[in-house]
């Protein structure tokens, strides 16, 4: 065997050795990076577990004293130390649902307008204006709702609702009573305005990911804009839209200051949407600094635990819904 025939094997061995040394140099940084990312992920789980344990320990005196009655009664009497969480739970769920019923169609409509119908020079200004709503502090929304929105509703909208819908046979009880201005409806409107930019921004971003070829093909077949949005855009971006809606719902469930200003803070369950009520976060914010005694404090912590469970259930249901949609698409 000549030297010429050995040169390729020597070159291959040299290249292999160089590659092994390069891999060895990068192996340590890769291992460090993997360890850091794993630690960050585990830290989230540890913090979540710590929050759950802390809330459960703090709420245990209330649940041990009242049992399931804490979840099924609306009595809230700090003097007699009788507490029930049903009224705050009712207010939290009702205000969030009404807010989503208002914000979801409006937010999706704005997103469709910005991506499909809006003239190009106006897209950026309108998009920035919508995103600025998300940057307004919640206390500003509360002040605006108390001094601007509530008087307007009390003087114009609520009397009209009482005079018209209040006399309807089925939905009449929802609009009965005096026009306070503050109450469930006012809080729901404030929440709808607050979650609107989240739904709109996420929906607009996912709508822009639809391949132009799909929409152009639909238009080429003679579809209208509504048909393109319904049959192409929404099916293609269903998962992202649901994620944006759930993000807004999470914000609505946990909102505190704005709701505290306009909901009336009354521990009562009334059928009328015009009546004062309270939410879990508003009750905690209003009364935590005044809580005297271990049972009173434990009851407020129990409210926090209930809100945590409600939020977790909502997010888990959204995740299951997305998994079901993915299975159907795969099928």
């Amino acid at each position: 065997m000549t030297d010429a025939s050995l040169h390729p094997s020597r070159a291959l061995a040299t290249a292999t050795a160089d590659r092994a040394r390069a891999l060895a140099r990068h192996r340590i940084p890769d291992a460090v990076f993997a360890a850091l990312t794993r630690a960050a992920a585990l830290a989230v789980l540890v913090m979540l577990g710590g929050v759950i344990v802390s809330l459960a320990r703090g709420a245990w005196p209330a649940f041990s004293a009242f049992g399931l009655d804490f979840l099924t009664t609306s009595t809230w009497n700090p003097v007699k130390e009788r507490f029930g969480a049903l009224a705050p739970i009712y207010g939290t769920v009702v205000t969030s649902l009404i807010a989503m019923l208002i914000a979801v169609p409006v937010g999706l409509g704005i997103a469709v307008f910005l991506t499909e119908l809006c003239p190009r020079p106006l897209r950026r200004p309108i998009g920035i204006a919508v995103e600025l709503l998300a940057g307004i502090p919640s206390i500003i929304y509360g002040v605006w709702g108390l001094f601007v929105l509530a008087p307007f509703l009390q003087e114009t909208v609520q009397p009209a609702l009482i005079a018209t819908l209040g006399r309807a046979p089925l939905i009449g009880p929802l609009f009965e009573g005096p026009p306070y201005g503050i109450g469930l409806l006012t809080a729901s409107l404030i929440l709808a305005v607050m979650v609107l930019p989240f739904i709109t921004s996420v929906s607009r971003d996912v709508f822009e990911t639809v391949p132009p070829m799909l929409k152009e093909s639909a238009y080429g077949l003679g579809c209208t804009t509504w048909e393109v949005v319904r049959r192409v855009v929404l099916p293609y971006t269903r998962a992202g839209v649901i994620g944006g809606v759930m993000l807004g719902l999470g914000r609505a469930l946990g909102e505190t200051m704005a709701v505290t200003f306009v909901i009336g803070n009354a521990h009562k369950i009334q059928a009328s949407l015009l009546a004062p009520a309270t939410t879990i976060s508003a009750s905690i914010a209003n009364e935590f600094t005044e809580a005297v005694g271990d049972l009173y404090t434990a009851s407020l912590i129990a409210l926090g635990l209930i809100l945590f469970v409600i939020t977790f259930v909502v997010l888990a249901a959204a995740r299951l819904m997305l998994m079901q949609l993915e299975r159907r698409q795969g099928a």
Side-chain angles (χ1 to χ4, degrees):
M1 185 178 293
T2 62
D3 294 339
S5 63
L6 292 175
H7 289 168
S9 60
R10 290 178 180 176
L12 180 60
T14 302
T16 303
D18 292 340
R19 187 178 301 116
R21 285 193 292 268
L23 291 175
R25 286 197 303 268
H26 292 295
R27 187 174 294 115
I28 295 178
D30 287 345
V32 173
F33 178 74
L36 289 176
T37 54
R38 187 182 298 109
L42 293 176
V44 174
L45 296 178
V46 170
M47 288 188 291
L48 181 62
V51 170
I52 296 174
V53 171
S54 299
L55 290 175
R57 290 182 59 184
W60 177 248
F63 285 114
S64 62
F66 305 116
L68 291 178
D69 290 341
F70 185 78
L71 300 175
T72 58
T73 60
S74 58
T75 302
W76 193 268
N77 192 333
V79 177
K80 296 182 179 179
E81 291 193 332
R82 296 296 303 174
F83 302 102
L86 188 59
I89 294 173
Y90 171 80
T92 300
V93 174
V94 170
T95 53
S96 299
L97 290 180
I98 296 176
M100 299 309 294
L101 289 175
I102 298 172
V104 169
V106 175
L108 293 180
I110 295 174
V112 170
F113 175 76
L114 290 176
T115 55
E116 302 295 333
L117 301 172
C118 182
R120 191 168 295 275
L122 295 179
R123 289 184 181 181
R124 187 173 181 83
I126 296 177
I128 293 175
V130 172
E131 291 175 356
L132 284 176
L133 292 175
I136 299 176
S138 59
I139 193 171
I140 302 301
Y141 280 110
V143 172
W144 172 75
L146 182 62
F147 292 104
V148 178
L149 182 61
F152 171 74
L153 294 177
Q154 183 181 24
E155 296 171 2
T156 58
V157 177
Q158 291 185 357
L161 292 176
I162 294 170
T164 55
L165 298 180
R167 299 177 180 178
L170 295 178
I171 62 174
L174 297 177
F175 302 97
E176 290 180 345
Y180 292 106
I182 58 176
L184 283 171
L185 181 62
T186 308
S188 301
L189 292 175
I190 292 290
L191 286 178
V193 175
M194 295 183 70
V195 304
L196 182 64
F198 296 94
I199 298 174
T200 302
S201 298
V202 174
S203 300
R204 182 193 62 183
D205 291 340
V206 297
F207 286 169
E208 290 177 347
T209 64
V210 179
M213 184 177 62
L214 294 180
K215 295 189 288 186
E216 292 170 0
S217 300
Y219 284 123
L221 293 174
C223 294
T224 63
T225 302
W226 162 245
E227 290 173 332
V228 171
V229 171
R230 180 185 175 186
R231 300 183 182 276
V232 178
V233 176
L234 287 178
Y236 189 88
T237 60
R238 186 184 292 115
V241 171
I242 294 177
V245 171
M246 290 303 147
L247 178 64
L249 180 57
R251 173 70 188 275
L253 288 171
E255 178 53 41
T256 303
M257 293 308 300
V259 174
T260 303
F261 272 81
V262 298
I263 198 170
N265 301 307
H267 283 271
K268 297 179 180 179
I269 297 178
Q270 303 183 59
S272 178
L273 300 178
L274 311 182
T278 189
T279 63
I280 293 176
S281 55
S283 298
I284 296 174
N286 278 325
E287 304 183 32
F288 202 84
T289 56
E290 302 175 359
V292 178
D294 295 337
L295 190 58
Y296 194 177
T297 304
S299 299
L300 294 175
I301 297 176
L303 289 180
L305 178 61
I306 293 171
L307 180 59
F308 182 90
V309 172
I310 292 174
T311 306
F312 178 81
V313 169
V314 169
L315 295 179
R319 188 60 187 170
L320 291 175
M321 185 187 305
L322 292 177
M323 292 174 62
Q324 288 291 104
L325 293 175
E326 291 175 358
R327 290 196 189 100
R328 291 177 183 177
Q329 290 177 351

